[in-house]
Amino acid sequence: MAWSGRLSLTPPTLADVAERAGVSRQTVSNAVNNPELLRPDTLARVQDAIAELGYSPNRAARNLRTRASHLIGLKFNPAQEGTANAAMDRFVHTLVETAGDSGYHILLFAGTTDDPVAAYDALLRSTAVDAFIVTDTYLGNPQAAWLTSRRAPFVAFGRPWDNPEATHAWVDVDGAAGAELATDHLLDKGHTRIAWIGWRKDSFIGEDRRSGWTRSMHARDLPTTGLASRVEDTVASGREAASVLLDEAHPSAFVCASDTLAMGVLHALGDRGIHWGRDVAVVGFDDSQVAQVVPGGLTSVRQPLEQVAVELVKALEGLLSTPPVAGPGVLLSPTLAVRLSSG
Amino acid sequence: MAWSGRLSLTPPTLADVAERAGVSRQTVSNAVNNPELLRPDTLARVQDAIAELGYSPNRAARNLRTRASHLIGLKFNPAQEGTANAAMDRFVHTLVETAGDSGYHILLFAGTTDDPVAAYDALLRSTAVDAFIVTDTYLGNPQAAWLTSRRAPFVAFGRPWDNPEATHAWVDVDGAAGAELATDHLLDKGHTRIAWIGWRKDSFIGEDRRSGWTRSMHARDLPTTGLASRVEDTVASGREAASVLLDEAHPSAFVCASDTLAMGVLHALGDRGIHWGRDVAVVGFDDSQVAQVVPGGLTSVRQPLEQVAVELVKALEGLLSTPPVAGPGVLLSPTLAVRLSSG
DNA sequence: TCGATCCCTTGGATCGATCAAGCGATGCGG
DNA sequence: CCGCATCGCTTGATCGATCCAAGGGATCGA
């Protein structure tokens, strides 16, 4: 506060504080970074001076000397229009908070689709960030391999599906367990013909979630053939897939790989005057805002994004400490947000 | 690329490039910052060396010398659970892209609710950011006044409702025009009894949007008394308000201050077996993902967030140029995304 | 031939913090 | 009383880019 009233617009420096407290610059530096090195009375005197002047270390200078920026790079991938996947919002928020508690800020950057590593490269070369959090792992992950070869510290939100040999740190949510949770929930409600609507086969995440559904069905010796459909992640294709399944397989419940697809199912049911939640149960995936506000509510698998953020930051702290501590992967379990759509 | 293969893990410096290109450090610096000062052939030679070494200026060093970080601070306010307001997502994305084109990155930080300016203060004092984009202006805006007194460059997304004298730069969307657009649309469809469900009176934005509805109604000499309701921004209160209005005022259409409230209206209509879109029209506000994926689609006022981002960055560039150019406020017009809920 | 550009070099200082070495005072054992 | 380690603090160098001032060499026109 103090210096804002002064004539000079430049913030106070370490030297200013030193002069005021009657000590050397280094002592002030120690007061800030290694207080235990100072005698209590000196420390108090320096802290008083710091408070009086409203001193805060200059980031640029500190970054230059210590070769660290205390910034974590995050490529911001927005939700697609017309889908229900707004997980980024909730995730980023807790990430910002958690990182902040550890003294890190999040630096957002945009990526060009044609060259996915260009933006990472630019930030690394200019030493603008200390590490990255990589989230766009839906279809393989060229960034991870590239960052590894570059020896750049990073943690991935998402398993290295395309490369089981990968040794980097990662945090992920067990999608199979989520789908299993959803299917078990429906089975417990008495359903036996439970259909699956998921993504196309080239999606690792989609196949993972699907495996939870099969696992759950097979555990009760129920058939799955003819009950599954794999489509694009849009409301329209979810609606179409549901329509076909209703005609051909007569399911009494649906589990979907996303809330977007689940909305498509609701749409198809509405077309036929079927009362969803009463006549046919529907469960989505991601617990998006859509699931929360649609009349009656859509039962949906909820990813523990807050926990994910905490684990990511924990892993990053390990990587950035000296010596670096490389943790193994962390797999978290989702929960089920039960609402009226599942009866 | 090049240096990543070398034994040394330190990135190349300006001096390295200079040596390789056979020029002085100053010339390399000029090649990067003032290319027009160099003879074309020298420039090419230096650029080759830069490319070969994979050189990129060290941000920390540059920041220290130039007293600029090329970072824009943005407090990340997440959408509330259970509401449909995920505008942040779309807004942040375009902001990151637009800022990136101008050489700026976005630094996210979290704010504590008890002291709204503490986080701003810390970043300013440590010279971590060059400027701020302030978005949380729903109920007055203490940050703006504080930042002004601190002489910190910033642009607000949202008008200075609580202080018309404020001189800072801002960008906003004309909420009244949006509500007017929505109401006119319904009037054109033949509706005359159009109800309004908005926020509590202490919300400047809510009152602004409401004024668009009254303006539109009065322009056609239609009454508004008894047709309006002011509640919390939740699905439940929207539902309740709609229910009361349906009983007492028998409207044939609703205009809402948010998609969240509009979802509440859909809920209330569903409760009574009224077919929305056919029997009763509904229009929401914000064009959230919910509006886009709800079966049939919810007609909604769409804010031009991409334009907002562009204008914000433009204003910031003005503020950060020398001499600073302070632009006046910019008011943008929303559009209407028409879907089946309005017939 | 002289001077005026133009393009680049040279050497240095600077931004503000941290690192590494060093120095005086104190305490303790021999 | 000396030697030596320890504590608490100071001093000079350093990170890498930019800014500044002065000047040198080549080219060109007068």
Side-chain angles (χ1 to χ4, degrees), chain A residues 23-27 39 42 65 67:
Chain A
V23 296
S24 70
R25 294 167 322 184
Q26 184 62 39
T27 302
R39 224 170 36 204
T42 334
R65 195 63 181 91
R67 299 172 172 281

Coordinates of all heavy atoms in Angstrom, one line a residue, chain A residues 23-27 39 42 65 67, chain D residues 8-16:
Chain A
V23 N 20.1 -2.9 7.2 CA 20.8 -4.2 7.0 C 21.2 -4.2 5.5 O 21.0 -3.3 4.7 CB 19.9 -5.4 7.3 CG1 19.6 -5.4 8.8 CG2 18.6 -5.3 6.4
S24 N 21.8 -5.3 5.1 CA 22.2 -5.5 3.7 C 21.1 -6.1 2.9 O 20.1 -6.7 3.4 CB 23.4 -6.3 3.6 OG 23.1 -7.7 3.9
R25 N 21.2 -6.0 1.5 CA 20.3 -6.6 0.6 C 20.1 -8.1 0.9 O 19.0 -8.6 1.0 CB 20.7 -6.4 -0.8 CG 20.8 -5.0 -1.3 CD 21.5 -5.0 -2.6 NE 22.6 -6.0 -2.5 CZ 23.5 -6.2 -3.5 NH1 23.4 -5.5 -4.5 NH2 24.4 -7.1 -3.3
Q26 N 21.2 -8.7 1.0 CA 21.1 -10.2 1.2 C 20.3 -10.6 2.5 O 19.6 -11.5 2.4 CB 22.5 -10.7 1.4 CG 22.6 -12.2 1.5 CD 22.1 -12.9 0.2 OE1 22.3 -12.4 -0.9 NE2 21.3 -14.0 0.4
T27 N 20.4 -9.8 3.5 CA 19.7 -10.1 4.7 C 18.2 -9.9 4.5 O 17.4 -10.7 4.9 CB 20.1 -9.1 5.8 OG1 21.5 -9.3 6.0 CG2 19.4 -9.4 7.1
R39 N 18.4 -13.7 13.0 CA 18.2 -13.6 14.4 C 16.8 -13.0 14.5 O 16.4 -12.0 13.8 CB 19.2 -12.7 15.1 CG 19.7 -13.2 16.4 CD 20.9 -12.4 16.9 NE 20.8 -11.0 16.5 CZ 21.8 -10.1 16.4 NH1 23.0 -10.6 16.6 NH2 21.6 -8.9 16.1
T42 N 16.4 -9.1 14.3 CA 16.7 -8.6 12.9 C 15.5 -8.9 12.0 O 15.0 -8.0 11.2 CB 17.9 -9.2 12.3 OG1 18.8 -9.6 13.4 CG2 18.6 -8.2 11.4
R65 N 17.2 -14.7 -12.1 CA 18.3 -15.3 -11.2 C 18.1 -16.8 -10.9 O 19.0 -17.6 -11.0 CB 18.4 -14.5 -9.9 CG 19.7 -14.8 -9.2 CD 20.8 -14.3 -10.0 NE 22.1 -14.6 -9.4 CZ 22.8 -15.7 -9.6 NH1 22.3 -16.6 -10.4 NH2 24.0 -15.8 -9.1
R67 N 16.1 -18.8 -12.5 CA 15.7 -19.6 -13.7 C 14.4 -20.4 -13.5 O 14.3 -21.6 -13.8 CB 16.8 -20.6 -14.0 CG 18.1 -20.0 -14.4 CD 19.2 -21.0 -14.5 NE 20.4 -20.4 -15.1 CZ 20.6 -20.0 -16.3 NH1 19.7 -20.3 -17.2 NH2 21.7 -19.5 -16.7
Chain D
dG8 P 22.5 -17.1 14.5 OP1 21.6 -16.7 15.6 OP2 22.0 -18.0 13.5 O5' 22.9 -15.8 13.8 C5' 23.5 -14.7 14.6 C4' 23.9 -13.6 13.7 O4' 25.0 -14.0 12.9 C3' 22.8 -13.2 12.7 O3' 22.7 -11.8 12.7 C2' 23.4 -13.7 11.3 C1' 24.9 -13.6 11.6 N9 25.7 -14.5 10.8 C8 25.3 -15.8 10.3 N7 26.2 -16.4 9.6 C5 27.2 -15.4 9.5 C6 28.5 -15.4 8.9 O6 29.0 -16.4 8.2 N1 29.2 -14.3 9.0 C2 28.8 -13.2 9.8 N2 29.6 -12.1 9.8 N3 27.6 -13.1 10.4 C4 26.9 -14.3 10.2
dC9 P 21.5 -11.1 11.8 OP1 20.9 -10.0 12.7 OP2 20.7 -12.1 11.2 O5' 22.4 -10.4 10.7 C5' 23.4 -9.5 11.0 C4' 24.4 -9.4 10.0 O4' 24.9 -10.7 9.6 C3' 23.9 -8.8 8.6 O3' 24.3 -7.4 8.6 C2' 24.6 -9.6 7.6 C1' 25.5 -10.6 8.4 N1 25.7 -11.9 7.8 C2 26.8 -12.2 7.1 O2 27.7 -11.4 7.0 N3 26.9 -13.5 6.5 C4 25.9 -14.4 6.6 N4 26.1 -15.6 6.1 C5 24.7 -14.0 7.3 C6 24.6 -12.8 7.9
dT10 P 24.0 -6.6 7.2 OP1 24.0 -5.2 7.6 OP2 22.9 -7.2 6.5 O5' 25.4 -6.8 6.4 C5' 26.6 -6.5 7.0 C4' 27.8 -6.6 6.0 O4' 27.9 -8.0 5.7 C3' 27.6 -5.9 4.7 O3' 28.8 -5.2 4.4 C2' 27.3 -7.0 3.7 C1' 28.0 -8.2 4.3 N1 27.4 -9.5 3.9 C2 28.1 -10.4 3.2 O2 29.2 -10.2 2.8 N3 27.4 -11.6 2.9 C4 26.1 -11.9 3.3 O4 25.7 -13.0 3.0 C5 25.4 -10.9 4.1 C7 24.0 -11.2 4.5 C6 26.1 -9.8 4.3
dT11 P 28.8 -4.1 3.3 OP1 29.7 -3.0 3.8 OP2 27.4 -3.8 2.8 O5' 29.6 -4.9 2.1 C5' 30.8 -5.5 2.4 C4' 31.3 -6.3 1.1 O4' 30.5 -7.5 1.1 C3' 31.0 -5.6 -0.2 O3' 32.2 -5.4 -0.9 C2' 30.0 -6.5 -0.9 C1' 30.2 -7.8 -0.3 N1 29.0 -8.6 -0.2 C2 29.0 -10.0 -0.6 O2 30.0 -10.5 -1.0 N3 27.8 -10.6 -0.5 C4 26.6 -10.1 -0.1 O4 25.6 -10.9 0.0 C5 26.6 -8.8 0.3 C7 25.4 -8.1 0.8 C6 27.8 -8.1 0.2
dG12 P 32.3 -4.6 -2.2 OP1 33.7 -3.9 -2.2 OP2 31.1 -3.8 -2.4 O5' 32.3 -5.7 -3.4 C5' 33.4 -6.7 -3.4 C4' 33.0 -7.8 -4.4 O4' 31.8 -8.4 -4.0 C3' 32.8 -7.3 -5.8 O3' 33.5 -8.1 -6.7 C2' 31.3 -7.3 -6.0 C1' 30.9 -8.5 -5.1 N9 29.6 -8.5 -4.6 C8 28.9 -7.4 -4.1 N7 27.7 -7.8 -3.7 C5 27.6 -9.1 -4.0 C6 26.5 -10.0 -3.8 O6 25.4 -9.8 -3.3 N1 26.8 -11.3 -4.3 C2 28.0 -11.7 -4.8 N2 28.2 -12.9 -5.1 N3 29.0 -10.8 -5.0 C4 28.7 -9.6 -4.5
dA13 P 33.5 -7.8 -8.3 OP1 34.9 -8.0 -8.7 OP2 32.7 -6.6 -8.6 O5' 32.6 -9.1 -8.8 C5' 33.0 -10.4 -8.4 C4' 31.9 -11.4 -8.8 O4' 30.7 -11.2 -8.1 C3' 31.5 -11.3 -10.3 O3' 31.5 -12.6 -10.9 C2' 30.2 -10.6 -10.3 C1' 29.6 -11.1 -9.0 N9 28.6 -10.3 -8.4 C8 28.6 -8.9 -8.3 N7 27.5 -8.4 -7.7 C5 26.7 -9.5 -7.5 C6 25.4 -9.7 -6.9 N6 24.7 -8.7 -6.4 N1 24.9 -10.9 -6.9 C2 25.7 -11.9 -7.4 N3 26.9 -11.9 -7.9 C4 27.3 -10.7 -7.9
dT14 P 31.3 -12.8 -12.4 OP1 32.1 -14.1 -12.8 OP2 31.6 -11.6 -13.1 O5' 29.8 -13.1 -12.5 C5' 29.3 -14.3 -11.9 C4' 27.7 -14.3 -12.0 O4' 27.2 -13.3 -11.2 C3' 27.2 -14.1 -13.4 O3' 26.7 -15.3 -13.9 C2' 26.2 -13.0 -13.3 C1' 25.9 -12.9 -11.8 N1 25.6 -11.6 -11.3 C2 24.5 -11.4 -10.5 O2 23.7 -12.3 -10.2 N3 24.2 -10.1 -10.1 C4 25.0 -9.0 -10.3 O4 24.7 -7.9 -9.9 C5 26.2 -9.2 -11.1 C7 27.1 -8.1 -11.5 C6 26.4 -10.5 -11.6
dC15 P 26.5 -15.5 -15.5 OP1 27.0 -16.8 -15.8 OP2 27.0 -14.3 -16.2 O5' 24.9 -15.5 -15.6 C5' 24.1 -16.5 -15.0 C4' 22.7 -16.1 -15.0 O4' 22.5 -15.0 -14.1 C3' 22.2 -15.6 -16.3 O3' 21.6 -16.6 -17.0 C2' 21.2 -14.5 -16.0 C1' 21.5 -14.2 -14.5 N1 21.9 -12.7 -14.2 C2 21.2 -12.0 -13.2 O2 20.3 -12.6 -12.6 N3 21.6 -10.8 -12.9 C4 22.6 -10.2 -13.6 N4 23.0 -9.0 -13.3 C5 23.3 -10.9 -14.6 C6 22.9 -12.2 -14.9
dG16 P 22.1 -16.9 -18.6 OP1 21.6 -18.2 -18.9 OP2 23.6 -16.6 -18.7 O5' 21.4 -15.8 -19.4 C5' 20.0 -15.8 -19.5 C4' 19.5 -14.5 -20.1 O4' 19.9 -13.4 -19.2 C3' 20.1 -14.1 -21.5 O3' 19.0 -13.7 -22.3 C2' 21.0 -13.0 -21.2 C1' 20.3 -12.3 -20.0 N9 21.2 -11.5 -19.2 C8 22.5 -11.7 -18.9 N7 23.0 -10.8 -18.1 C5 21.9 -9.9 -17.8 C6 21.8 -8.7 -17.1 O6 22.7 -8.2 -16.4 N1 20.6 -8.2 -17.1 C2 19.5 -8.7 -17.8 N2 18.3 -8.1 -17.7 N3 19.6 -9.8 -18.5 C4 20.8 -10.4 -18.5

